[in-house]
Amino acid sequence: MKNWLKSFLLVGLVSGGLAACSGETGGESSGESGESGEPSGEITVWGWNVAAESMELAVDGFKEQYPDVEVNVEDIGRLDVYEKLTVGLASGGNGLPDVVMVESDRLANYHDQFPDAIANLSELGYDEHADKFGEYKKSVTQNEDGEFFAAPWDVGPAGVFYRTDIFEEAGVNPDDIKTWDDYIEAGKTIQEATGTKMVPIDIAADDALYRMMMNQQGAFYYDEEGNIDVASEESQKAFDVIQRLHEEDLVLNNNGWDGVVSATVNGEVATVPFGVWYSGTIMDQAPDQSGNWDVFYLPAFEEGGNRAANLGGSDLVIPSSTDNESAAYAFVEYFTTEVDPQMKALQEKGIFPSLETTYEEDYFSQESEYFNNQPVFQLFADEVSDIPVANYTSDYARAFDTMSDTQASILLDGTPIEEALQNAADKLESETGRSAN
């Protein structure tokens, strides 16, 4: 994953100096509106994997409202979406479709580099939906003036997926885990009783646990002004917990995504702190473990502290180069603000909506046989409003790379936390030109 991020950052740096205008031809779009004044013509939508499939599921319902619009959803793969989008925006929109899916942590990079190449959705009327989303999701889809440049789609409220059978064998009650100190003590008990590690971490390549810990404290790589904040007290607290987990031999140093999944399926770890979307992976990869999984919120840093955080999520943007902005906006608005397409995406593809009106649906309160007969989706839904905002900035990729290296420096090389974090802040200051707190 780090190699992809480096490639993405390099493309962004090369293309950042090119003019981003909006007058070029985009995807295979035609027409603006029919004789009735309603949107008409053809639009193309880019996405990947189950996200593209989710948008495809919405087409029939969309056409009931807009029968004169033809929608082509193309699954072109995640890496291809970003490569083509970056090059297309830099060249004035050449080869781009009418709607593109972008992960939330990548949005700021595109908006900052190509502000005029992405349609202002507020000017098209999206502000009327602002109160349908939580503060976190709005913070990543709105610009500094509070205008939407992307439509909020899925969100990744975080939790700790855990093996109920392993906890029971060790005599650990998950309800007693309220702080990270409790989590460490539970891990020690579980390892002594069962020999099972507590948590998988790809130490040299992914700082996901650190990011969740930062977000739950209301902090991130950068503060709300965009200053580098990785040497903060919150950052030190996060790595203190991660270091203690490692020192107690509770961390399984896995290799990439496949390593996390293997550790999950093979029972090598008792817990997996991750976004809600991981529920689908567990059910798909370990169908025989139904009933042996459950979820609790991230532990707090102090008794009674915040236990909500986000990991992952994506949104929809409309390139300004579209020849059919009216139809593109109609699809984006329908897909992200109507309950039916969001529920289909959740129920059939496991994509968790940020549209808060969906949380009133009975589906959220239904017990899941797989997850210990608990209403796990309600647990995640109840968390969304408490997720602190995060300022990803256009330099997110640099910080991700740097902090993954910093994690390895602390855990594998033994660099003291304070020294390692200061080194990281200095490196980011040099690379980004931003001030470090």
Side-chain angles (χ1 to χ4, degrees):
M1 182 171 181
K2 283 177 67 177
N3 290 334
W4 176 82
L5 281 167
K6 290 177 181 176
S7 300
F8 173 79
L9 179 58
L10 180 60
V11 172
L13 289 171
V14 172
S15 62
L18 300 176
C21 55
S22 59
E24 300 294 335
T25 301
E28 299 177 359
S29 308
S30 61
E32 271 290 344
S33 59
E35 295 180 2
S36 65
E38 290 295 310
S40 66
E42 185 176 359
I43 62 171
T44 298
V45 181
W46 281 357
W48 62 83
N49 205 288
V50 292
E53 294 170 8
S54 296
M55 290 188 281
E56 184 67 45
L57 288 173
V59 171
D60 287 345
F62 172 74
K63 285 185 65 63
E64 290 179 7
Q65 294 189 24
Y66 299 97
D68 296 328
V69 179
E70 292 298 322
V71 181
N72 302 309
V73 178
E74 297 183 355
D75 180 351
I76 68 170
R78 179 173 178 266
L79 299 185
D80 282 343
V81 165
Y82 287 128
E83 180 179 354
K84 293 176 184 294
L85 179 60
T86 302
V87 174
L89 291 176
S91 63
N94 286 322
L96 292 182
D98 305 279
V99 178
V100 185
M101 168 191 165
V102 179
E103 289 165 299
S104 297
D105 52 21
R106 306 284 180 255
L107 279 174
N109 187 47
Y110 285 113
H111 178 261
D112 289 357
Q113 287 195 57
F114 314 108
D116 297 326
I118 296 174
N120 185 318
L121 302 187
S122 288
E123 293 178 355
L124 300 177
Y126 204 83
D127 281 355
E128 68 177 281
H129 305 296
D131 61 355
K132 298 177 181 178
F133 304 97
E135 289 304 313
Y136 165 80
K137 201 60 175 175
K138 286 190 287 188
S139 76
V140 299
T141 54
Q142 292 177 326
N143 62 24
E144 60 275 9
D145 297 320
E147 298 172 315
F148 285 98
F149 64 91
W153 180 12
D154 65 300
V155 68
V160 180
F161 296 92
Y162 74 95
R163 282 284 297 267
T164 58
D165 52 341
I166 294 175
F167 270 59
E168 289 170 3
E169 182 181 350
V172 172
N173 182 352
D175 293 337
D176 293 336
I177 301 177
K178 302 188 184 301
T179 67
W180 285 110
D181 288 339
D182 297 335
Y183 181 81
I184 292 171
E185 289 305 312
K188 291 161 63 175
T189 300
I190 287 170
Q191 185 176 61
E192 183 176 355
T194 70
T196 308
K197 304 285 189 183
M198 193 62 167
V199 58
I201 299 179
D202 187 354
I203 292 176
D206 193 352
D207 67 344
L209 182 58
Y210 167 76
R211 276 180 283 139
M212 286 185 282
M213 288 178 168
M214 287 287 278
N215 186 212
Q216 77 173 121
Q217 296 179 86
F220 209 64
Y221 297 147
Y222 306 99
D223 66 15
E224 58 185 10
E225 283 83 31
N227 297 318
I228 299 161
D229 209 29
V230 298
S232 65
E233 179 181 353
E234 292 86 356
S235 184
Q236 293 185 43
K237 285 183 177 180
F239 270 123
D240 176 67
V241 171
I242 294 171
Q243 184 183 55
R244 288 161 58 201
L245 284 165
H246 188 257
E247 289 175 344
E248 295 291 349
D249 198 27
L250 303 179
V251 172
L252 177 69
N253 186 8
N254 64 272
N255 184 19
W257 173 257
D258 290 342
V260 175
V261 175
S262 294
T264 303
V265 171
N266 297 333
E268 296 176 79
V269 290
T271 76
V272 185
F274 245 158
V276 59
W277 37 265
Y278 198 59
S279 60
T281 299
I282 298 175
M283 289 188 285
D284 179 64
Q285 296 296 316
D288 58 325
Q289 293 176 13
S290 178
N292 287 338
W293 285 95
D294 205 339
V295 184
F296 57 85
Y297 288 130
L298 293 177
F301 279 87
E302 60 282 321
E303 190 78 33
N306 180 50
R307 302 181 67 175
N310 184 83
L311 187 71
S314 58
D315 310 285
L316 301 183
V317 300
I318 299 175
S320 300
S321 56
T322 177
D323 287 334
N324 200 344
E325 185 176 75
S326 175
Y329 178 74
F331 178 78
V332 167
E333 182 181 42
Y334 169 80
F335 183 69
T336 60
T337 67
E338 294 277 351
V339 170
D340 183 65
Q342 294 294 292
M343 291 306 299
K344 284 182 178 177
L346 173 62
Q347 291 174 275
E348 299 189 32
K349 301 300 175 181
I351 296 182
F352 198 87
S354 62
L355 181 65
E356 294 189 344
T357 51
T358 60
Y359 305 157
E360 300 169 8
E361 297 294 300
D362 291 340
Y363 183 79
F364 285 87
S365 60
Q366 292 177 8
E367 296 177 353
S368 168
E369 181 179 354
Y370 191 94
F371 288 100
N372 197 28
N373 294 315
Q374 297 298 315
V376 292
F377 286 127
Q378 188 65 58
L379 178 143
F380 285 112
D382 291 343
E383 176 186 357
V384 171
S385 62
D386 293 326
I387 297 173
V389 301
N391 187 12
Y392 291 106
T393 82
S394 58
D395 290 313
Y396 169 84
R398 280 189 174 95
F400 174 92
D401 199 34
T402 297
M403 297 316 293
S404 296
D405 290 342
T406 299
Q407 178 172 260
S409 176
I410 293 170
L411 301 187
L412 303 181
D413 299 335
T415 306
I417 292 175
E418 187 172 352
E419 178 185 341
L421 294 181
Q422 188 59 56
N423 291 341
D426 292 343
K427 183 173 186 290
L428 287 172
E429 197 169 31
S430 173
E431 290 181 347
T432 66
R434 298 175 183 270
S435 298
N437 293 330

